[in-house]
Amino acid sequence: MGGHLALDAGTVLAAVVLLVALVFGVLTLRRWLFVRAGGTVECSLRELRADGDAADGGHGPWRLGFGRYKGDVLQWHRVFGFRRRPRQVIHRRGLVVAGRRVPQGEEAAGLLPDVTIVEVRDGGRRLELAMGAAALTGFLAWLEAAPPGSPVDPPGQDS
C-alpha cells in the first residue's frame, strides 16, 4: 500500500512540474510571437485614479508588461497572460504627457532597474508607464511623429 502512495505522489509531482513547464512554454511562445512582429518594448503600467496621484497613494498596482506600437495606438499586454488582445490601448491622438520621474521608495523594487516613469493622460484616463531609456526615447519619438494637427502636447512640459 505504501508503494502505491509513493507512486501516486511522484506522478502528481511530475504532472505539476510538466504543467508548470507547459505554462512557461506557452507564455514564452506568446511573447516571442509578439516580439517577432516588431514594434514591442518592455513597459510596466499602472492606472492613476482621478482622486489622487502617485505621491498620495491614488493609484493601482504596477503590472509588468510590454507595449506594441500599431499605427496610432500603443497596445499594452501583460507579460503573464494568455490573451492575444491588449489589456490597454493608448491612443496617440489626444495623448498628453504630464510629467516624468524616477521610481521612489518601495515602487522601485517592483519595477525593472533603470526605468523612468512617465505620466500620460489619454482622454479621461491617467496612466503611468515605466520604461527603460531606449523604450522612452522610442515612445517620445512615436508621440512626436503624430500627423500634423494632432493635439499632442510636447513631452518635456509638465502640466
Side-chain angles (χ1 to χ4, degrees), residues 46-49 51-62 107 128:
R46 76 171 166 185
E47 296 184 57
L48 299 176
R49 294 193 305 257
D51 59 350
D53 63 13
D56 70 6
H59 53 77
W62 280 108
E107 79 178 335
E128 283 187 323

Side-chain angles (χ1 to χ4, degrees), residues 13-96:
L13 181 60
V16 168
V17 168
L18 183 62
L19 181 63
V20 168
L22 181 64
V23 167
F24 181 76
V26 168
L27 290 175
T28 302
L29 177 63
R30 174 182 168 265
R31 170 89 184 244
W32 179 78
L33 289 172
F34 277 120
V35 170
R36 187 180 130 204
T40 60
V41 294
E42 289 190 9
C43 173
S44 295
L45 177 143
R46 76 171 166 185
E47 296 184 57
L48 299 176
R49 294 193 305 257
D51 59 350
D53 63 13
D56 70 6
H59 53 77
W62 280 108
R63 294 176 289 173
L64 184 62
F66 57 94
R68 182 176 184 193
Y69 296 104
K70 289 200 98 172
D72 283 341
V73 297
L74 174 63
Q75 299 176 338
W76 184 84
H77 300 266
R78 290 182 120 165
V79 166
F80 302 110
F82 295 103
R83 291 174 48 164
R84 293 217 16 103
R85 291 180 33 202
R87 293 281 180 163
Q88 296 277 345
V89 177
I90 302 168
H91 299 272
R92 177 167 53 186
R93 184 171 299 267
L95 188 68
V96 176

Side-chain angles (χ1 to χ4, degrees), residues 108-128:
L111 296 171
L112 295 172
D114 300 323
V115 297
T116 300
I117 297 172
V118 180
E119 181 183 339
V120 297
R121 294 186 186 129
D122 180 16
R125 293 185 310 162
R126 292 176 56 215
L127 305 168
E128 283 187 323

